[in-house]
Amino acid sequence: MKITDIKVYKVKPRWIFVKIITDEGISGWGELISGTKTETVVACAYEIGKRVLIGRNPFEIERLFQQMHRSFFRGGPINATIVSGFEMALWDIKGKALNVPVYELLGGVARDKIKVYSWIGGDRPSGVLEQAQDRINRGFDSIKMNATEELHYIDTIEKVDSVIERVSILRENFGNKINIGIDFHGRVHKPMAKVLAKELEQFHPMFLEEVVLPENYEYYKTISNLVSTPLATGEREYTRWAFKKIFEQKAIDIIQPDVALCGGILELRKIAAMAEAYDMAVAPHAPYGPIALAATLQVDSCTPNVFIQEQSLGIHYNKGFDLLDFVKNKEIFEFKDGFVNIPKKSGLGIEIDEDYLDEIAKEGLVWTNPSWTHYDGTIAEW
C-alpha cells in the first residue's frame, strides 16, 4: 500500500481536516488545530505532506512520525499539529486495512466505558446554574467551567467574589453530586492565582486547570504546596519532551495532552504512559472537531490512567455547528449517564460525511481568537 495524495479541508467553525489517500482505496482522516494561523497551517500541511508522505507506506507510522518531527529547527505548535493530524490519519488507514479499531493495535481495551464531562458557562462565565442543570438532566455528573473573565496582574476582590459566587451556587444547588473542574485558562497571573486557588479549595473542585500560563510552569509547585486541590495542565504542550519538565517537577496531578497538538495518537499514548509512571492521571484535551475527539477516544479506550474525557458536542467554541453535522455514524458520540461507549468500528471508528464536508469547506474559514483588554487598555490573556 502506498500514499498517493493528501487533501486539506478548512471547515467552519474552526476546524482543519486532512485526508490521506492510498492506492488501495483506503483513506484516513486526521484533524489539525487552526488557532489564528489557518492559512499557515494549511500551507505547511501540504508542504510536509507532499515532501514526506506521498509514495510512502502508511503502515510505517513511527518512521513517518520521526521524519515529520525531526528537523534542525523542530517543534512549535504549527509543526506539532500538522504531525498530529497526519499521524492520526495514518492510524485510521492501518486500522481500516486490518479491520480493527486503533486501540486494538495499542494493546486492546483497558476499560468498559469512558467517563466524560461537559463544558458550561462560556468564555466569560455566566448562566452556570441553568447550564449545569441542563447537563445533569442529560445524564452528566461532571462539568467544567472557566473560573473567570480576564484578570489583571493584581485585580479586585470583587472579581474574586464573582468567581466564588458562581461555584458556590453550584454546590448549594447540587451538593457534591457533581464534579466541578475549574479552568483558569492561563488568564490568571501568579499574584492572583494563589488567591483564587486558595478561595476555591473550600468547594473541593475536581481539578484546577492551567492555574498560570504554561510558560510560567515553575509556579505550579507554589500552588501545589498551597492547596490540596488536584492541578491539571497540558493542552498547550506538545511531544513527550515538552511534558518531561512537568513530570520532573512533580506538582501537577492531571495532564491534559491534546491528540491534535501533542504529536498524535501514539505520542499521546506515550505521554500517558510516562504519566502513569509518575502516578498521574490523564484527562485529554478535546474541544475541537469530531475527528480529534474520535482519535482521543481510541487512546482513552486503551489507557488505564485516563479518568475522564472532555467532550464538546453542541457547546464550547463550536458556534453554529455540532460535531455530529459531519458524522454519519452518530452513535460514536452517544453520551449516557456521564459516559460514552468504547468505539467498535475499524480505524478511528468515525465515518465522515464527505458530501457535507465538501459543501461547507467551499465557504472557507476565517477563525480568530477573541481579543480582550484590561480596564486600563493593556492586552489581556484570552
Side-chain angles (χ1 to χ4, degrees):
M1 185 185 295
K2 300 293 182 185
I3 297 171
T4 58
D5 199 6
I6 61 169
K7 292 184 178 180
V8 182
Y9 299 85
K10 295 179 288 185
V11 186
K12 290 181 179 180
R14 58 173 187 153
W15 305 328
I16 304 175
F17 299 162
V18 294
K19 181 182 181 183
I20 297 180
I21 302 165
T22 71
D23 59 357
E24 294 189 14
I26 299 176
S27 298
W29 290 93
E31 184 173 333
L32 315 180
I33 295 172
S34 168
T36 57
K37 301 177 178 69
T38 300
E39 298 303 326
T40 305
V41 171
V42 170
C44 193
Y46 276 120
E47 180 181 8
I48 292 176
K50 291 180 178 179
R51 175 171 54 84
V52 178
L53 299 180
I54 301 299
R56 302 295 292 278
N57 178 0
F59 278 26
E60 295 181 347
I61 299 173
E62 181 66 32
R63 186 199 296 254
L64 293 172
F65 168 86
Q66 293 289 338
Q67 191 167 348
M68 289 187 289
H69 167 71
R70 292 183 184 274
S71 63
F72 187 78
F73 297 106
R74 69 182 59 171
I78 291 175
N79 190 74
T81 194
I82 290 163
V83 173
S84 301
F86 283 142
E87 195 265 6
M88 67 180 88
L90 294 171
W91 279 109
D92 195 23
I93 290 171
K94 193 164 190 173
K96 289 173 179 174
L98 299 176
N99 197 31
V100 294
V102 168
Y103 59 73
E104 293 290 5
L105 305 175
L106 298 173
V109 296
R111 56 174 23 91
D112 299 322
K113 53 188 177 180
I114 303 164
K115 192 170 184 61
V116 293
Y117 69 79
S118 181
W119 261 92
I120 66 168
D123 272 344
R124 288 188 165 101
S126 62
V128 295
L129 180 60
E130 296 80 6
Q131 292 180 46
Q133 184 63 64
D134 172 73
R135 305 304 187 264
I136 291 172
N137 293 344
R138 291 159 57 181
F140 287 92
D141 64 3
S142 301
I143 54 95
K144 185 172 80 173
M145 58 186 285
N146 279 319
T148 179
E149 56 191 0
E150 60 271 35
L151 281 184
H152 219 317
Y153 280 84
I154 303 294
D155 218 315
T156 65
I157 193 63
E158 183 180 16
K159 283 191 176 180
V160 174
D161 286 344
S162 68
V163 177
I164 302 309
E165 182 181 355
R166 281 190 292 272
V167 180
S168 176
I169 197 171
L170 296 180
R171 282 286 179 242
E172 289 172 3
N173 281 269
F174 306 117
N176 293 323
K177 293 181 180 179
I178 61 170
N179 303 309
I180 306 172
I182 302 174
D183 190 357
F184 284 31
H185 214 260
R187 297 171 181 171
V188 186
H189 295 281
K190 293 192 294 182
M192 297 303 295
K194 61 183 180 182
V195 174
L196 267 184
K198 191 67 176 175
E199 290 289 335
L200 288 168
E201 189 175 23
Q202 62 183 302
F203 301 110
H204 305 291
M206 179 169 55
F207 54 76
L208 301 180
E209 180 176 336
E210 273 199 339
V211 289
V212 292
L213 285 167
E215 52 259 43
N216 296 326
Y217 81 96
E218 68 277 359
Y219 203 67
Y220 294 151
K221 191 69 175 178
T222 301
I223 301 295
S224 177
N225 290 335
L226 185 67
V227 299
S228 61
T229 309
L231 302 185
T233 195
E235 69 181 67
R236 307 191 212 196
E237 306 286 0
Y238 35 88
T239 78
R240 74 204 89 146
W241 294 281
F243 278 88
K244 185 166 61 172
K245 66 181 184 292
I246 295 175
F247 297 138
E248 292 173 346
Q249 189 187 29
K250 301 183 180 66
I252 294 296
D253 305 287
I254 303 161
I255 58 164
Q256 301 170 301
D258 190 314
V259 74
L261 180 67
C262 75
I265 287 174
L266 185 55
E267 193 69 8
L268 174 51
R269 185 66 187 89
K270 291 176 180 178
I271 292 166
M274 292 171 69
E276 187 178 10
Y278 284 88
D279 200 26
M280 295 168 63
V282 183
H285 184 248
Y288 302 113
I291 301 171
L293 181 56
T296 308
L297 294 181
Q298 296 292 325
V299 182
D300 295 339
S301 300
C302 63
T303 305
N305 53 330
V306 168
F307 83 100
I308 201 165
Q309 175 58 58
E310 180 174 27
Q311 65 86 26
S312 57
L313 292 185
I315 54 173
H316 208 33
Y317 305 116
N318 304 332
K319 296 177 181 178
F321 288 88
D322 194 288
L323 275 71
L324 297 178
D325 293 342
F326 298 94
V327 180
K328 288 184 177 180
N329 58 324
K330 303 183 187 304
E331 70 277 1
I332 188 176
F333 298 135
E334 284 185 358
F335 302 104
K336 184 178 180 181
D337 298 330
F339 290 87
V340 63
N341 289 327
I342 304 296
K344 301 297 184 184
K345 292 184 178 294
S346 62
L348 298 184
I350 191 170
E351 298 175 18
I352 296 296
D353 186 341
E354 291 193 54
D355 291 336
Y356 185 64
L357 175 60
D358 285 333
E359 177 186 338
I360 298 301
K362 291 175 183 176
E363 300 178 16
L365 167 62
V366 178
W367 165 261
T368 183
N369 291 334
S371 180
W372 292 357
T373 58
H374 293 298
Y375 54 80
D376 58 1
T378 54
I379 302 299
E381 292 289 342
W382 169 70

